[in-house]
């Protein structure tokens, strides 16, 4: 029974992983580390996620996992992540209940087996009327561009 259950769970994971494989989005440090995340980058979910998953192609030590609501300053939310000096390819971390927000940012840092310190991030949003995080980020980029007329040209 345990073999069937673990096989079933593994098949669920690999189905979700293979679905997302073509959407691998965090390729860092000259392409040396590839990671698949759930939620996917820029994903809009129906409900708030209950966990964050990172799946690396090789063993890493996860040093940092932070969740931020960008509109609320630079301080991350307390998700209870604590560094453990173990290496793995799969990390899943439970999340507290999340309040509605335009979007959330997940930042991670890992120490790869080849000695590299690698970093990555991804965004997600959730809710019935949620927009992809890229929508809000593009709005902020455009509003940050200020065009100032050059009055010296007017005579």
């Amino acid at each position: 029974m345990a073999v069937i259950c673990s096989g079933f769970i593994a098949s669920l994971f690999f189905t979700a992983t293979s679905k997302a494989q073509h959407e691998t989005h965090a390729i860092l440090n000259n392409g040396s580390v590839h990671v698949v995340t759930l939620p996917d980058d820029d994903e809009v979910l129906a409900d708030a996620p209950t966990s964050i998953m990172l799946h690396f192609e090789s063993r890493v030590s996860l040093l940092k996992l932070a969740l931020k609501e960008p509109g609320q300053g630079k301080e991350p939310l307390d998700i209870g992540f604590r560094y453990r000096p173990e290496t793995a390819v799969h990390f899943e971390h439970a999340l507290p209940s999340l309040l509605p927000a335009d979007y959330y940012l997940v930042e991670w840092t890992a120490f790869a087996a080849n000695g590299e310190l690698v970093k990555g991030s991804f965004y997600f949003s959730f809710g019935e009327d949620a927009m992809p995080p890229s929508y809000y980020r593009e709005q902020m980029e455009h509003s940050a561009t200020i065009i100032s007329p050059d009055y010296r040209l007017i005579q």
Side-chain angles (χ1 to χ4, degrees):
M1 185 69 165
V3 172
I4 294 170
C5 290
S6 65
F8 175 73
I9 291 169
S11 69
L12 284 176
F13 171 74
F14 288 115
T15 300
T17 302
S18 62
K19 173 188 170 283
Q21 285 280 323
H22 68 280
E23 297 175 10
T24 301
H25 60 271
I27 301 172
L28 304 163
N29 291 347
N30 301 320
S32 64
V33 175
H34 299 266
V35 62
V36 175
T37 66
L38 287 177
D40 286 332
D41 186 31
D42 208 35
E43 184 172 6
V44 178
L45 306 165
D47 298 310
T50 57
S51 65
I52 294 172
M53 189 273 299
L54 301 165
H55 184 79
F56 296 87
E57 69 177 13
S58 59
R59 296 182 77 81
V60 300
S61 179
L62 191 61
L63 304 173
K64 170 189 167 185
L65 184 63
L67 179 67
K68 296 180 178 180
E69 185 183 341
Q72 299 300 316
K74 296 184 183 232
E75 287 300 311
L77 301 171
D78 184 8
I79 60 171
F81 176 80
R82 302 293 178 259
Y83 166 73
R84 284 182 232 119
E86 57 193 35
T87 62
V89 294
H90 183 77
F91 297 89
E92 187 167 0
H93 187 77
L95 294 176
S97 295
L98 300 178
L99 298 173
D102 288 341
Y103 64 94
Y104 284 90
L105 164 65
V106 177
E107 295 178 332
W108 58 266
T109 303
F111 192 64
N114 65 3
E116 287 184 271
L117 185 65
V118 292
K119 297 178 180 186
S121 63
F122 61 96
Y123 300 84
F124 68 88
S125 60
F126 64 88
E128 189 174 307
D129 297 325
M131 298 290 291
S134 57
Y135 169 80
Y136 297 104
R137 293 177 29 235
E138 287 171 10
Q139 297 296 322
M140 289 188 313
E141 288 172 12
H142 291 302
S143 66
T145 304
I146 299 172
I147 299 174
S148 176
D150 189 350
Y151 292 108
R152 293 176 294 170
L153 298 175
I154 301 173
Q155 294 188 14

